[in-house]
Structure formats: structure tokens, C-alpha cells
Amino acid sequence: QVQLVESGGGLVQAGGSLRLSCAASGRTSSIYVMGWFRQAPGKEREFVGGIGWYIGNTYYEDSVKGRFIISRDRAKNAVYLQMNSLKPEDTALYYCAASTETGLSWSASKLDFRYGYWGQGTQVTVSS
């Protein structure tokens, strides 16, 4: 079992920055990929980006590429989502998720059912 807790959400003006954190606990050695997802009101949950837990390679959805940066600190069992140049359309509930599926491809990592563990979410609101 893996437990995840997000933090760092809040209200920010357009153009501003926020850094989300995701603290992992439990059987973290089983994690293969950590993903960030978001869900805006009335919309489906969507993939934002992910990071290989051991290798540290990253992958981003086009809508956030160049603005968001995912990093991880395995010593602290933490993953971060640095969000820059925020736009009102980035407003959503942001979730971190852990997949223990070895060999998960980046194309597959976009699918939320590939992740067995989820945090409770943290709200990000970007005002115009």
C-alpha cells in the first residue's frame, strides 16, 4: 500500500506560480511512476505530467509543457509540481497518483486507471 498526501494549493493571479507537493508513504519502493492529474468542475480528470520514480525522467501534457516542472526527492519520498505562468484554465483540483506497474509507458501513464494510489487532491484557483 502507498499513501499520498498533496499540499500547496491555493489562489493565485494569472501569471503567478505555485508549487504543489506530494508526500508518499508506505511501500514506496513499489512505485514506478508518479503522475499528476487535475480535474476542473464539469470536466473529466486529465493527465498533467509524470515522473519516473527511480530514473527521474519526466513527461508533460502539451497544455502545460514549458510552464510546469515535475521533480522528485526520493530521500524525502516526495514529488513536486512547480507551476509557472499560470492561466485561469489551470484552475482545477490537482491530484498526485502512484503507479506500481513496472515498464509503464508514457502513453499508458496518461490513463488514470493505471494508477492504483491517489491523494485527496489540492485545489488550485487562478484568477484573471
Side-chain angles (χ1 to χ4, degrees):
Q1 292 285 344
V2 176
Q3 294 79 43
L4 303 172
V5 179
E6 302 98 336
S7 61
L11 174 64
V12 64
Q13 288 188 331
S17 298
L18 275 177
R19 188 193 194 210
L20 305 184
S21 299
C22 175
S25 60
R27 199 161 172 259
T28 58
S29 61
S30 66
I31 297 173
Y32 187 77
V33 169
M34 290 291 294
W36 283 96
F37 289 78
R38 65 187 182 185
Q39 187 167 21
K43 295 188 177 181
E44 293 187 355
R45 186 163 55 189
E46 65 174 357
F47 178 76
V48 173
I51 186 165
W53 184 246
Y54 286 98
I55 300 175
N57 53 327
T58 54
Y59 181 84
Y60 301 93
E61 197 60 20
D62 286 345
S63 60
V64 306
K65 201 174 293 182
R67 300 189 296 123
F68 290 11
I69 301 170
I70 299 174
S71 61
R72 59 99 168 93
D73 184 336
R74 284 179 52 208
K76 295 182 178 180
N77 284 327
V79 175
Y80 307 99
L81 178 64
Q82 177 67 44
M83 304 185 294
N84 302 317
S85 301
L86 283 162
K87 305 175 182 179
E89 52 263 44
D90 293 318
T91 295
L93 188 60
Y94 282 72
Y95 299 91
C96 66
S99 175
T100 59
E101 189 173 330
T102 305
L104 187 70
S105 68
W106 282 126
S107 60
S109 72
K110 295 183 177 183
L111 305 173
D112 57 7
F113 65 82
R114 295 285 190 167
Y115 295 80
Y117 304 98
W118 292 81
Q120 81 288 352
T122 186
Q123 179 67 38
V124 172
T125 303
V126 184
S127 63
S128 56

